[in-house]
Amino acid sequence: MGVSFLAKAASLLLATATASTTASAAATSAKGNYTEHLSESFLSKGVTLSRNYAYAVLYTGIELAYNKTSNPVYYNYVKTQLDGVLNDDGSFVVPITSTLSLDDIRIGLNFLWLWSVTGEDKYKNAADYLRGQLDYTPRNPDGGFWHRRPTYPDQMWLDGIYMASNFYTQYTAWFQPGNETAWDDIINQYDLIEAHTRDNSTGLLFHGYDASGTAVWADPVTGAAPHIWDRAVGWYFMSLIEMLDYFPKTHAGYARNVKRFQTLAAAVKKSQDSASGGWWLIMDPPYPSDPRNYIESSGSAMFTYGLLRGIRKGLLKEKEYGKVARKGYEALKRDFVGTNANGTLNWEGTVQVGSLGSNGTFEYYISVPLAQNDYKGAGPFIYASYELEGY
Ligand SMILES: *[C@@H]1O[C@H](CO)[C@@H](O)[C@H](O)[C@H]1NC(C)=O
Ligand SMILES: *[C@@H]1O[C@H](CO)[C@@H](O)[C@H](O)[C@H]1NC(C)=O
Ligand SMILES: *[C@@H]1O[C@H](CO)[C@@H](O)[C@H](O)[C@H]1NC(C)=O
Ligand SMILES: *[C@@H]1O[C@H](CO)[C@@H](O)[C@H](O)[C@H]1NC(C)=O
Ligand SMILES: *[C@@H]1O[C@H](CO)[C@@H](O)[C@H](O)[C@H]1NC(C)=O
Ligand SMILES: *[C@@H]1O[C@H](CO)[C@@H](O)[C@H](O)[C@H]1NC(C)=O
């Protein structure tokens, strides 16, 4: 299994050696250079060391900048950041504690990437620690992972599906492809979140659900949270399209997730704001027309990216989705990318958090401030740019 990744790694490193002189030519091509331009802007600001998921989301963007340009500055940066959170044997400088959060699994995808490029055991070991964490993360009675121990017992959030299931899927594809228990377990996470949070009228999904029904926001029948939050749906949309690259086509769950992705894409298309081309922070009616609501940049970037990738992968028809995706991308560039005097870029308009640790009301979601240069929005904008610039 490892051999083909090492071969790929070798060819990537070879590409680095031979292609770095052409990187600047590629950067000025007619296709645009937001992938590396925004990446470079973050490099120039410096980023502290962390295993937090938001950092992981940014690093994936910088991996794509490396993939696009073969410029070693991006590779070196990701490696330095990841080495900074690992001991030499791949264990964590800040170890896993009694708090177990699905958010902490997300950086496993970056460890897998770096392992595939370097072949170094250290990064495989780091991925193994996170895979191990899933074996002792508590579950609700249906087998769904708790979003976090101890704070969110029995709760599944759309966010957590992206944070953990994509790593779980890629890890299983690479290291345990014959583990049917794992494949069934992975698809069960999607089955559960769909059964409890898919809104049958908009086709979008509520933020999460509480299987115990005790959370202050839980619907008495489904356990669902009351609102559709754009970033949560965005995480889930990205999760569906990315997991399909690794999930076995022969498993019955594959077709289910294709259908779920396509159904969600239709709902995303329908909910695009026709005036701006972006998407609302709170997406369930009547809130899109509420003057306190606004077009939020991280969810908008995730939807744009998911649509573009879905088209490229042949799961969405260009004829039906191309215009929507391009209109979304124009909105992102126009409304959320700013330029500093020194030529670096800023990413604007991303809401800091949306947590079901709150009371779950519309008033809560709109009370959370926006942040500049938030990795959770900037990362997905880089992914969307790469879809347009990298192929
Ligand atoms: C991207 O292109 C702009 C001009 O459109 C240029 O100013 C900038 O330096 C380029 N950035 C990178 C990282 O290539
Ligand atoms: C460019 O300007 C921004 C905003 O003032 C700053 O944060 C960044 O560090 C500067 N970058 C460089 C390379 O000077
Ligand atoms: C990087 O580019 C190669 C060649 O185009 C592609 O096969 C690979 O999937 C890309 N990797 C990522 C992480 O996008
Ligand atoms: C297969 O996956 C299951 C579920 O995650 C796990 O408990 C088990 O240890 C895995 N089997 C092997 C051989 O790794
Ligand atoms: C959507 O409809 C299905 C099938 O009727 C139902 O099981 C599910 O609870 C509904 N979802 C929500 C969030 O109401
Ligand atoms: C819910 O929390 C928000 C602030 O987070 C507050 O403005 C609102 O009044 C609360 N609503 C209820 C019903 O508790």
Side-chain angles (χ1 to χ4, degrees):
M1 193 87 242
V3 174
S4 65
F5 295 107
L6 293 182
K8 189 184 144 203
S11 71
L12 268 173
L13 292 175
L14 190 62
T16 307
T18 56
S20 56
T21 51
T22 60
S24 56
T28 53
S29 86
K31 279 186 160 182
N33 72 356
Y34 284 97
T35 306
E36 60 272 33
H37 198 177
L38 189 57
S39 295
E40 188 194 82
S41 303
F42 277 97
L43 264 56
S44 84
K45 290 179 213 306
V47 178
T48 52
L49 299 174
S50 176
R51 286 197 281 122
N52 177 274
Y53 72 94
Y55 293 68
V57 165
L58 177 69
Y59 299 161
T60 297
I62 294 170
E63 290 161 17
L64 293 173
Y66 174 61
N67 208 356
K68 181 183 171 197
T69 63
S70 300
N71 186 338
V73 78
Y74 300 117
Y75 164 80
N76 290 335
Y77 173 82
V78 173
K79 186 168 184 304
T80 302
Q81 295 295 121
L82 295 183
D83 282 343
V85 300
L86 297 177
N87 300 312
D88 287 344
D89 62 357
S91 59
F92 300 137
V93 170
V94 179
I96 298 170
T97 61
S98 60
T99 298
L100 292 183
S101 178
L102 296 187
D103 287 345
D104 292 342
I105 305 290
R106 171 58 182 79
I107 201 163
L109 288 173
N110 305 86
F111 295 141
L112 290 179
W113 179 82
L114 195 53
W115 176 77
S116 77
V117 175
T118 63
E120 282 181 37
D121 288 345
K122 175 180 174 177
Y123 307 114
K124 167 68 163 54
N125 291 345
D128 289 345
Y129 286 118
L130 289 176
R131 176 64 186 81
Q133 178 175 331
L134 289 177
D135 286 337
Y136 54 89
T137 295
R139 296 165 182 261
N140 68 28
D142 301 321
F145 290 119
W146 289 14
H147 188 68
R148 182 177 303 162
R149 182 185 81 185
T151 14
Y152 307 124
D154 287 332
Q155 296 180 20
M156 296 185 77
W157 302 9
L158 294 171
D159 319 47
I161 300 288
Y162 171 79
M163 299 305 158
S165 302
N166 290 76
F167 168 75
Y168 193 2
T169 304
Q170 191 170 336
Y171 184 96
T172 303
W174 283 12
F175 306 114
Q176 303 179 353
N179 189 340
E180 291 303 323
T181 312
W183 292 127
D184 292 347
D185 187 26
I186 289 166
I187 206 69
N188 188 44
Q189 308 303 312
Y190 292 89
D191 291 348
L192 290 173
I193 203 88
E194 285 281 340
H196 292 270
T197 70
R198 182 76 81 151
D199 171 31
N200 294 314
S201 57
T202 60
L204 300 165
L205 299 97
F206 295 109
H207 191 166
Y209 84 99
D210 180 357
S212 73
T214 53
V216 56
W217 42 256
D219 179 275
V221 177
T222 63
H227 292 296
I228 297 172
W229 179 51
D230 72 330
R231 182 151 77 233
V233 183
W235 292 130
Y236 186 64
F237 197 44
M238 298 201 296
S239 175
L240 285 170
I241 188 63
E242 293 184 359
M243 75 88 73
L244 292 170
D245 282 352
Y246 297 98
F247 197 80
K249 291 193 168 66
T250 48
H251 191 293
Y254 182 88
R256 290 208 290 281
N257 270 9
V258 168
K259 183 92 195 315
R260 288 162 179 163
F261 173 74
Q262 291 170 331
T263 310
L264 183 52
V268 163
K269 174 179 173 174
K270 217 171 136 194
S271 59
Q272 184 179 40
D273 175 51
S274 58
S276 67
W279 283 266
W280 296 96
L281 177 82
I282 294 298
M283 304 174 76
D284 47 300
Y287 297 102
S289 61
D290 190 302
R292 297 168 296 171
N293 204 353
Y294 57 89
I295 301 293
E296 196 277 331
S297 70
S298 66
S300 296
M302 292 170 182
F303 294 140
T304 301
Y305 158 66
L307 292 170
L308 290 168
R309 188 175 173 119
I311 295 167
R312 176 170 65 77
K313 290 278 174 182
L315 296 177
L316 302 176
K317 292 199 178 91
E318 156 68 36
K319 196 159 53 80
E320 286 173 35
Y321 289 94
K323 238 177 93 179
V324 176
R326 282 188 297 275
K327 185 171 176 175
Y329 192 70
E330 288 309 310
L332 298 176
K333 284 195 296 181
R334 182 190 65 229
D335 297 337
F336 301 120
V337 178
T339 308
N340 293 309
N342 62 18
T344 61
L345 303 178
N346 290 319
W347 176 256
E348 309 284 354
T350 289
V351 71
Q352 280 175 4
V353 293
S355 170
L356 289 175
S358 71
N359 63 20
T361 61
F362 173 71
E363 286 71 24
Y364 159 70
Y365 286 101
I366 56 160
S367 76
V368 179
L370 297 177
Q372 188 183 54
N373 291 320
D374 191 298
Y375 309 151
K376 303 182 292 294
F381 175 72
I382 298 174
Y383 311 167
S385 299
Y386 185 79
E387 286 297 322
L388 292 168
E389 300 169 355
Y391 292 94

